[in-house]
Amino acid sequence: MKSDPLAIGRVIGDVVDYFTPNVKMSVTYNHNKQVYNGFEFFPSSVTTKPKVQVHGGDMRSFFTLVMTDPDVPGPSDPYLREHLHWIVTDIPGTTDATFGKEVVKYEMPRPNIGIHRFVFLLFKQKGRQTVNKIPSSMDLFNARNFAYVNDLGPPVAAVFFNAQRETAARNR
């Protein structure tokens, strides 16, 4: 039995409850850098929004994508958990997020302290234009609460990467 990287990375627990993925999602930065659970990216390589593809839906299904950072201000004391980075709704089940409605513009990762997890969550909507309770603040976001108030249920897919502040020389 393989261990679930989302559980090992504490995405399950810190951000969402246990769920069974049933849709395939790929997240790719700069045309060729695919996100795999737990891989590290430099913040300078994720400045523009990635291409997110959904595989496994159909023409009648719509999805919501959420990107969140549960490690704010730092992983050892994330008292501002979570920081919202991106929301796209009404993504048709057979395409990618560029065909959805960007309701919260992409904000590039800027971790200050420690290694942060940046989590992409994909939720299946009950129908088109059903996600309308959008948070007014990027801070103190709660993915579970967002899913609850918009009647989304558990995620259908998730992936995360790690990033930390880039410095010319690390002083220890």
Side-chain angles (χ1 to χ4, degrees):
M1 186 170 118
K2 287 197 325 191
S3 300
D4 187 335
L6 294 170
I8 293 168
R10 294 186 336 275
V11 169
I12 291 172
D14 288 353
V15 183
V16 293
D17 298 320
Y18 183 80
F19 69 98
T20 303
N22 56 11
V23 171
K24 291 229 181 297
M25 170 179 67
S26 64
V27 179
T28 310
Y29 280 97
N30 306 321
H31 306 295
N32 63 355
K33 297 200 173 6
Q34 186 162 347
V35 174
Y36 295 101
N37 285 318
F39 278 38
E40 186 164 344
F41 283 90
F42 289 115
S44 60
S45 69
V46 293
T47 56
T48 57
K49 63 186 171 193
K51 182 178 177 83
V52 178
Q53 291 183 292
V54 177
H55 314 277
D58 58 44
M59 290 306 285
R60 294 179 308 283
S61 51
F62 292 91
F63 296 90
T64 292
L65 175 76
V66 171
M67 179 184 175
T68 182
D69 173 0
D71 299 316
V72 181
S76 60
D77 184 20
Y79 64 90
L80 294 175
R81 170 177 297 165
E82 304 160 32
H83 185 83
L84 177 63
H85 280 267
W86 197 27
I87 296 179
V88 182
T89 64
D90 294 333
I91 301 166
T94 54
T95 59
D96 61 54
T98 54
F99 291 95
K101 183 174 154 205
E102 190 176 49
V103 293
V104 172
K105 294 227 174 293
Y106 180 81
E107 179 186 305
M108 67 175 275
R110 286 192 202 89
N112 278 324
I113 309 163
I115 299 172
H116 288 233
R117 295 164 294 167
F118 293 90
V119 183
F120 294 91
L121 300 168
L122 189 70
F123 296 95
K124 186 169 185 181
Q125 297 174 204
K126 297 276 192 271
R128 193 178 183 142
Q129 297 176 336
T130 54
V131 175
N132 46 30
K133 295 176 182 74
I134 306 302
S136 54
S137 169
M138 308 290 264
D139 294 317
L140 298 173
F141 177 74
N142 184 305
R144 282 183 186 93
N145 188 46
F146 174 79
Y148 176 76
V149 300
N150 284 288
D151 198 20
L152 292 170
V156 294
V159 67
F160 78 101
F161 69 88
N162 295 319
Q164 59 187 313
R165 187 173 175 184
E166 291 176 65
T167 51
R170 291 231 163 123
N171 299 328
R172 295 255 169 208

